[in-house]
Amino acid sequence: MHYFQAPNRILNTIFFIILFFLSHAIYTSTYYLPLYNLYIEVLRRQKPEKMLPYQTLEEAALVLGRNLTLAEKLWYNYSADKSDFLLYGHNIFFLCLVFSLAPLPYAFIELSKFEYMAKFKVQTKINISFSGMFKCYKAVMKKFIVVVGPLQIISFPTVKWVGIHTSLPLPSFWEISSQLVVYFLIEDYTNYWLHRLLHRKWGYEKIHYMHHEYSAPFGFAAPYAHWAEILILGIPTFLGPLMIPCHIITLCLWTILRHVEAIQTHSGYEFPWSPTRFIPFYVGAEYHDYHHYVGGQSQGNFASVFTYCDRIYGTDRGYRHHKQALNKLKGM
């Protein structure tokens, strides 16, 4: 079945209705309609391609030489009549969904002003209003739809070429876990150097200054950046899957986890019970908050996920001295 026929026309419509309602407060038809038309045009130009080369679950089991797992049966039922292009397009949906939901607990804590939670706030003297958060949310959603959305379309041939696939069998838990660990390591190292580059005079004044408009970051401000920075720092995120191709499910999990991690490190709250405290060399909110606190003069704490690059290259000295000074004041 051609994936632009009835079942997937319905799915395409639902997909864009969801995006529309996520962004209707942001966009006029000047933004929305050209992007929708571009997406539909790409769909029309795609060659008919059945995602899975099996007609039935029984045929899939016969070819694989074993019974399908429950996850594989669910995946088959969901994706058998959908194109790789449409499945890859789920990434932008997950990106918008995670960005809309993951910062909400931090926003609720910030706006409710619970006295108990206040002691976990990194910069206690700065409070973000609801209007300030919503303004940031609208700006980021605009960049997602206008910049990241078309980038998803443009990058699809590369995704197919490197071998990111949608077929059965599904990857094992250990395969997914190992690939995600490698992706985090690749992203962290590459992001470190590009982030340092953006703190050079030209990069900061022309591009990176926008991300530092918030000296006390909060969850919704994690992806708030200049459109050029979104493209530049998107390279480390996409580099891991390019080097080590994976299943589309792993790619979607990577998109979700990387974004959740960025929101957490920009949350402005350092909770002692957070499970991320058990991850070796993990950045955390307090560590990255210092980078924003110093602002344009910051020449340290460039790491996005792990702190080892800052330690190896000596770009965490200012932070360590800052911590030592604070500990001395607490001991007085």
Side-chain angles (χ1 to χ4, degrees), residues 185-206:
L185 291 171
I186 292 173
E187 194 282 338
D188 180 72
Y189 188 81
T190 315
N191 186 291
Y192 172 84
W193 288 106
L194 289 176
H195 193 180
R196 283 190 69 168
L197 183 65
L198 288 172
H199 270 267
R200 300 297 293 268
K201 181 178 173 57
W202 188 90
Y204 188 87
E205 291 181 352
K206 301 296 184 182

mmCIF file of all heavy atoms in Angstrom, residues 185-206:
data_model
loop_
_atom_site.group_PDB
_atom_site.id
_atom_site.type_symbol
_atom_site.label_atom_id
_atom_site.label_comp_id
_atom_site.label_asym_id
_atom_site.label_seq_id
_atom_site.Cartn_x
_atom_site.Cartn_y
_atom_site.Cartn_z
ATOM 1 N N LEU A 185 28.454 10.003 25.048
ATOM 2 C CA LEU A 185 29.887 10.313 25.106
ATOM 3 C C LEU A 185 30.322 11.127 23.883
ATOM 4 O O LEU A 185 31.074 12.100 24.012
ATOM 5 C CB LEU A 185 30.697 9.020 25.195
ATOM 6 C CG LEU A 185 30.569 8.245 26.513
ATOM 7 C CD1 LEU A 185 31.250 6.881 26.397
ATOM 8 C CD2 LEU A 185 31.174 9.041 27.666
ATOM 9 N N ILE A 186 29.840 10.727 22.709
ATOM 10 C CA ILE A 186 30.186 11.457 21.483
ATOM 11 C C ILE A 186 29.612 12.868 21.519
ATOM 12 O O ILE A 186 30.294 13.844 21.198
ATOM 13 C CB ILE A 186 29.671 10.694 20.242
ATOM 14 C CG1 ILE A 186 30.452 9.390 20.059
ATOM 15 C CG2 ILE A 186 29.802 11.563 18.981
ATOM 16 C CD1 ILE A 186 29.893 8.489 18.965
ATOM 17 N N GLU A 187 28.352 12.971 21.923
ATOM 18 C CA GLU A 187 27.708 14.282 21.989
ATOM 19 C C GLU A 187 28.427 15.192 22.975
ATOM 20 O O GLU A 187 28.679 16.363 22.681
ATOM 21 C CB GLU A 187 26.244 14.108 22.409
ATOM 22 C CG GLU A 187 25.366 15.327 22.206
ATOM 23 C CD GLU A 187 25.544 16.403 23.267
ATOM 24 O OE1 GLU A 187 26.012 16.072 24.379
ATOM 25 O OE2 GLU A 187 25.220 17.573 22.993
ATOM 26 N N ASP A 188 28.766 14.655 24.128
ATOM 27 C CA ASP A 188 29.386 15.459 25.172
ATOM 28 C C ASP A 188 30.733 16.008 24.721
ATOM 29 O O ASP A 188 31.018 17.200 24.896
ATOM 30 C CB ASP A 188 29.567 14.605 26.433
ATOM 31 C CG ASP A 188 30.209 15.378 27.566
ATOM 32 O OD1 ASP A 188 29.534 16.248 28.145
ATOM 33 O OD2 ASP A 188 31.398 15.140 27.866
ATOM 34 N N TYR A 189 31.576 15.154 24.140
ATOM 35 C CA TYR A 189 32.916 15.599 23.723
ATOM 36 C C TYR A 189 32.831 16.631 22.597
ATOM 37 O O TYR A 189 33.515 17.662 22.622
ATOM 38 C CB TYR A 189 33.754 14.401 23.279
ATOM 39 C CG TYR A 189 35.196 14.762 23.012
ATOM 40 C CD1 TYR A 189 36.099 14.888 24.051
ATOM 41 C CD2 TYR A 189 35.643 14.996 21.711
ATOM 42 C CE1 TYR A 189 37.426 15.234 23.816
ATOM 43 C CE2 TYR A 189 36.964 15.334 21.469
ATOM 44 C CZ TYR A 189 37.846 15.457 22.525
ATOM 45 O OH TYR A 189 39.158 15.813 22.276
ATOM 46 N N THR A 190 31.991 16.356 21.600
ATOM 47 C CA THR A 190 31.872 17.276 20.461
ATOM 48 C C THR A 190 31.211 18.586 20.881
ATOM 49 O O THR A 190 31.631 19.670 20.459
ATOM 50 C CB THR A 190 31.046 16.615 19.344
ATOM 51 O OG1 THR A 190 31.478 15.285 19.142
ATOM 52 C CG2 THR A 190 31.190 17.395 18.044
ATOM 53 N N ASN A 191 30.181 18.490 21.712
ATOM 54 C CA ASN A 191 29.497 19.681 22.193
ATOM 55 C C ASN A 191 30.442 20.566 22.994
ATOM 56 O O ASN A 191 30.370 21.796 22.908
ATOM 57 C CB ASN A 191 28.289 19.274 23.037
ATOM 58 C CG ASN A 191 27.431 20.441 23.477
ATOM 59 O OD1 ASN A 191 27.838 21.260 24.292
ATOM 60 N ND2 ASN A 191 26.222 20.498 22.954
ATOM 61 N N TYR A 192 31.321 19.945 23.780
ATOM 62 C CA TYR A 192 32.269 20.712 24.594
ATOM 63 C C TYR A 192 33.079 21.673 23.729
ATOM 64 O O TYR A 192 33.200 22.872 24.030
ATOM 65 C CB TYR A 192 33.208 19.753 25.339
ATOM 66 C CG TYR A 192 34.340 20.458 26.058
ATOM 67 C CD1 TYR A 192 34.154 20.988 27.327
ATOM 68 C CD2 TYR A 192 35.592 20.603 25.453
ATOM 69 C CE1 TYR A 192 35.181 21.647 27.988
ATOM 70 C CE2 TYR A 192 36.632 21.251 26.101
ATOM 71 C CZ TYR A 192 36.415 21.769 27.374
ATOM 72 O OH TYR A 192 37.442 22.431 28.014
ATOM 73 N N TRP A 193 33.633 21.177 22.627
ATOM 74 C CA TRP A 193 34.502 22.013 21.790
ATOM 75 C C TRP A 193 33.710 23.043 20.987
ATOM 76 O O TRP A 193 34.165 24.189 20.819
ATOM 77 C CB TRP A 193 35.346 21.133 20.868
ATOM 78 C CG TRP A 193 36.403 20.411 21.644
ATOM 79 C CD1 TRP A 193 36.433 19.095 21.981
ATOM 80 C CD2 TRP A 193 37.570 21.006 22.220
ATOM 81 N NE1 TRP A 193 37.540 18.823 22.734
ATOM 82 C CE2 TRP A 193 38.264 19.970 22.895
ATOM 83 C CE3 TRP A 193 38.115 22.292 22.231
ATOM 84 C CZ2 TRP A 193 39.466 20.183 23.574
ATOM 85 C CZ3 TRP A 193 39.304 22.503 22.911
ATOM 86 C CH2 TRP A 193 39.970 21.479 23.569
ATOM 87 N N LEU A 194 32.542 22.666 20.508
ATOM 88 C CA LEU A 194 31.723 23.641 19.785
ATOM 89 C C LEU A 194 31.219 24.726 20.733
ATOM 90 O O LEU A 194 31.136 25.908 20.360
ATOM 91 C CB LEU A 194 30.546 22.934 19.106
ATOM 92 C CG LEU A 194 30.906 22.049 17.907
ATOM 93 C CD1 LEU A 194 29.667 21.329 17.389
ATOM 94 C CD2 LEU A 194 31.542 22.872 16.797
ATOM 95 N N HIS A 195 30.887 24.337 21.976
ATOM 96 C CA HIS A 195 30.448 25.307 22.972
ATOM 97 C C HIS A 195 31.574 26.287 23.301
ATOM 98 O O HIS A 195 31.344 27.500 23.420
ATOM 99 C CB HIS A 195 29.999 24.564 24.229
ATOM 100 C CG HIS A 195 29.255 25.426 25.201
ATOM 101 N ND1 HIS A 195 28.776 24.936 26.401
ATOM 102 C CD2 HIS A 195 28.899 26.749 25.176
ATOM 103 C CE1 HIS A 195 28.176 25.907 27.063
ATOM 104 N NE2 HIS A 195 28.241 27.019 26.338
ATOM 105 N N ARG A 196 32.781 25.769 23.420
ATOM 106 C CA ARG A 196 33.939 26.645 23.661
ATOM 107 C C ARG A 196 34.121 27.618 22.498
ATOM 108 O O ARG A 196 34.412 28.804 22.700
ATOM 109 C CB ARG A 196 35.215 25.824 23.841
ATOM 110 C CG ARG A 196 35.360 25.171 25.195
ATOM 111 C CD ARG A 196 36.737 24.573 25.404
ATOM 112 N NE ARG A 196 37.777 25.595 25.513
ATOM 113 C CZ ARG A 196 39.010 25.343 25.919
ATOM 114 N NH1 ARG A 196 39.369 24.101 26.247
ATOM 115 N NH2 ARG A 196 39.906 26.314 25.988
ATOM 116 N N LEU A 197 33.938 27.112 21.284
ATOM 117 C CA LEU A 197 34.067 27.957 20.096
ATOM 118 C C LEU A 197 33.026 29.077 20.108
ATOM 119 O O LEU A 197 33.320 30.224 19.742
ATOM 120 C CB LEU A 197 33.910 27.098 18.842
ATOM 121 C CG LEU A 197 34.080 27.808 17.493
ATOM 122 C CD1 LEU A 197 35.509 28.319 17.344
ATOM 123 C CD2 LEU A 197 33.740 26.866 16.350
ATOM 124 N N LEU A 198 31.818 28.757 20.552
ATOM 125 C CA LEU A 198 30.761 29.761 20.613
ATOM 126 C C LEU A 198 31.024 30.816 21.691
ATOM 127 O O LEU A 198 30.376 31.864 21.687
ATOM 128 C CB LEU A 198 29.404 29.093 20.867
ATOM 129 C CG LEU A 198 28.812 28.306 19.691
ATOM 130 C CD1 LEU A 198 27.572 27.539 20.114
ATOM 131 C CD2 LEU A 198 28.481 29.243 18.527
ATOM 132 N N HIS A 199 31.938 30.544 22.600
ATOM 133 C CA HIS A 199 32.298 31.535 23.603
ATOM 134 C C HIS A 199 33.485 32.390 23.188
ATOM 135 O O HIS A 199 33.922 33.242 23.976
ATOM 136 C CB HIS A 199 32.564 30.865 24.960
ATOM 137 C CG HIS A 199 31.334 30.752 25.808
ATOM 138 N ND1 HIS A 199 30.979 31.709 26.732
ATOM 139 C CD2 HIS A 199 30.346 29.818 25.834
ATOM 140 C CE1 HIS A 199 29.847 31.358 27.314
ATOM 141 N NE2 HIS A 199 29.436 30.219 26.788
ATOM 142 N N ARG A 200 33.991 32.174 21.982
ATOM 143 C CA ARG A 200 34.944 33.133 21.434
ATOM 144 C C ARG A 200 34.172 34.402 21.096
ATOM 145 O O ARG A 200 32.961 34.389 20.922
ATOM 146 C CB ARG A 200 35.630 32.564 20.186
ATOM 147 C CG ARG A 200 36.411 31.278 20.430
ATOM 148 C CD ARG A 200 37.555 31.478 21.398
ATOM 149 N NE ARG A 200 38.573 32.348 20.832
ATOM 150 C CZ ARG A 200 39.636 31.914 20.148
ATOM 151 N NH1 ARG A 200 39.787 30.607 19.932
ATOM 152 N NH2 ARG A 200 40.534 32.762 19.692
ATOM 153 N N LYS A 201 34.878 35.516 20.985
ATOM 154 C CA LYS A 201 34.245 36.828 20.860
ATOM 155 C C LYS A 201 33.188 36.872 19.758
ATOM 156 O O LYS A 201 32.054 37.275 19.991
ATOM 157 C CB LYS A 201 35.313 37.892 20.614
ATOM 158 C CG LYS A 201 34.766 39.314 20.484
ATOM 159 C CD LYS A 201 35.899 40.301 20.297
ATOM 160 C CE LYS A 201 35.402 41.697 19.997
ATOM 161 N NZ LYS A 201 34.501 42.243 21.005
ATOM 162 N N TRP A 202 33.556 36.439 18.546
ATOM 163 C CA TRP A 202 32.610 36.526 17.426
ATOM 164 C C TRP A 202 31.413 35.592 17.652
ATOM 165 O O TRP A 202 30.261 35.973 17.449
ATOM 166 C CB TRP A 202 33.306 36.160 16.122
ATOM 167 C CG TRP A 202 32.439 36.407 14.919
ATOM 168 C CD1 TRP A 202 32.358 37.546 14.176
ATOM 169 C CD2 TRP A 202 31.495 35.483 14.330
ATOM 170 N NE1 TRP A 202 31.439 37.393 13.154
ATOM 171 C CE2 TRP A 202 30.896 36.147 13.230
ATOM 172 C CE3 TRP A 202 31.114 34.182 14.629
ATOM 173 C CZ2 TRP A 202 29.950 35.534 12.423
ATOM 174 C CZ3 TRP A 202 30.155 33.573 13.833
ATOM 175 C CH2 TRP A 202 29.582 34.240 12.742
ATOM 176 N N GLY A 203 31.698 34.336 18.077
ATOM 177 C CA GLY A 203 30.632 33.369 18.260
ATOM 178 C C GLY A 203 29.641 33.786 19.329
ATOM 179 O O GLY A 203 28.432 33.593 19.179
ATOM 180 N N TYR A 204 30.165 34.397 20.399
ATOM 181 C CA TYR A 204 29.271 34.800 21.483
ATOM 182 C C TYR A 204 28.438 36.011 21.077
ATOM 183 O O TYR A 204 27.225 36.036 21.298
ATOM 184 C CB TYR A 204 30.059 35.118 22.748
ATOM 185 C CG TYR A 204 29.168 35.354 23.943
ATOM 186 C CD1 TYR A 204 28.754 34.293 24.735
ATOM 187 C CD2 TYR A 204 28.705 36.632 24.260
ATOM 188 C CE1 TYR A 204 27.905 34.487 25.815
ATOM 189 C CE2 TYR A 204 27.854 36.839 25.328
ATOM 190 C CZ TYR A 204 27.461 35.766 26.115
ATOM 191 O OH TYR A 204 26.615 35.969 27.174
ATOM 192 N N GLU A 205 29.080 37.017 20.485
ATOM 193 C CA GLU A 205 28.371 38.259 20.156
ATOM 194 C C GLU A 205 27.342 38.068 19.050
ATOM 195 O O GLU A 205 26.312 38.743 19.033
ATOM 196 C CB GLU A 205 29.377 39.338 19.754
ATOM 197 C CG GLU A 205 30.247 39.814 20.915
ATOM 198 C CD GLU A 205 31.221 40.898 20.486
ATOM 199 O OE1 GLU A 205 31.313 41.165 19.265
ATOM 200 O OE2 GLU A 205 31.894 41.462 21.367
ATOM 201 N N LYS A 206 27.602 37.150 18.120
ATOM 202 C CA LYS A 206 26.711 36.970 16.975
ATOM 203 C C LYS A 206 25.675 35.861 17.178
ATOM 204 O O LYS A 206 24.587 35.909 16.594
ATOM 205 C CB LYS A 206 27.524 36.657 15.710
ATOM 206 C CG LYS A 206 28.539 37.721 15.337
ATOM 207 C CD LYS A 206 27.868 39.034 14.977
ATOM 208 C CE LYS A 206 28.900 40.068 14.520
ATOM 209 N NZ LYS A 206 28.281 41.378 14.210
#
